[in-house]
Structures are given as structure tokens and as C-alpha cells.
Amino acid sequence: QVQLVESGGGLVQAGGSLRLSCAASGDIFSIRTMAWYRQAPGKQRDWVASITSGGIPMYEEFVKGRFTISIDNAKNTMFLQMNTLEPEDTAVYYCNVNLYNRYMTQMDYWGQGTQVTVSS
């Protein structure tokens, strides 16, 4: 099993910044990708950004230029620096990891989510 611990959410005014983190632990042989998704009230869960273990990032168009995803492979931890936040960024942010466990089985795990609220 793998545990994902997210932190860094909170309440911020529009234009402000937050930094989310997601630490993975447990049965991890190697991480393939880590990603952030978000789900606003009444909406589906949407992909926000992802990063490979090699550090190659990808971003959803709406956050490009405002959010920066990074990974610390030594600590199996991913970060999302969110700048110039807008009320539309308000959502529960979920961490996702795709990895190989000790049996070389590809697995997918989700965190519990962390609330981000941006006031106007």
C-alpha cells in the first residue's frame, strides 16, 4: 500500500499564492508520474498538472504560467506552486501518483484532497 499526504491548502485572496505538497510513502519501487487534479463543487474532477520522475511537467491551459509543478524524487514528494490565484481556482485539490511497487506492478493512488479557497 501507498500513503499520500497532502498539505498546503487554505484560504487566500485573489492574486495571492499557495504551495501544495504531496508526499508519497509505502510500497514504492519507482514513481512514473505524479499529478494534481481538482474538483470544484458540483463539477467533475479535472486534471491540473502532472510531472514525470524525470521532471517533465505538463499543465492544463487555464493554469499555465501561473502554476508550477515540481518533484523531489529523493523524498517522493511533489509540489504545486500556485500564483496569481483566481476565484475560479477554488476547489479540492487531489494528488495522484502512478508508480511501480516492489512486485513491479503498476499502481495508481489518490490522496484525500486539500481544500483551496480563493476569495474575490
Side-chain angles (χ1 to χ4, degrees), residues 51-102:
I51 189 165
T52 67
S53 59
I56 299 174
M58 293 183 66
Y59 299 96
E60 187 268 336
E61 199 64 33
F62 186 70
V63 307
K64 201 175 289 186
R66 300 190 296 124
F67 291 9
T68 302
I69 191 171
S70 59
I71 190 169
D72 182 339
N73 287 306
K75 297 180 180 180
N76 290 333
T77 300
M78 170 180 64
F79 304 94
L80 186 68
Q81 178 65 43
M82 305 186 293
N83 297 329
T84 319
L85 283 161
E86 304 174 4
E88 291 75 16
D89 295 315
T90 295
V92 177
Y93 283 70
Y94 294 92
C95 170
N96 171 271
V97 63
N98 186 272
L99 55 81
Y100 288 109
N101 64 16
R102 58 183 157 169

Side-chain angles (χ1 to χ4, degrees), residues 97-115:
V97 63
N98 186 272
L99 55 81
Y100 288 109
N101 64 16
R102 58 183 157 169
Y103 303 109
M104 295 303 292
T105 301
Q106 191 172 333
M107 303 291 289
D108 206 67
Y109 293 95
W110 291 90
Q112 299 274 46
T114 184
Q115 177 70 47

Side-chain angles (χ1 to χ4, degrees), residues 9-34:
L11 172 64
V12 65
Q13 288 188 329
S17 298
L18 284 173
R19 188 186 193 220
L20 305 183
S21 64
C22 172
S25 62
D27 187 4
I28 301 171
F29 177 79
S30 65
I31 288 176
R32 298 182 70 249
T33 61
M34 296 187 80

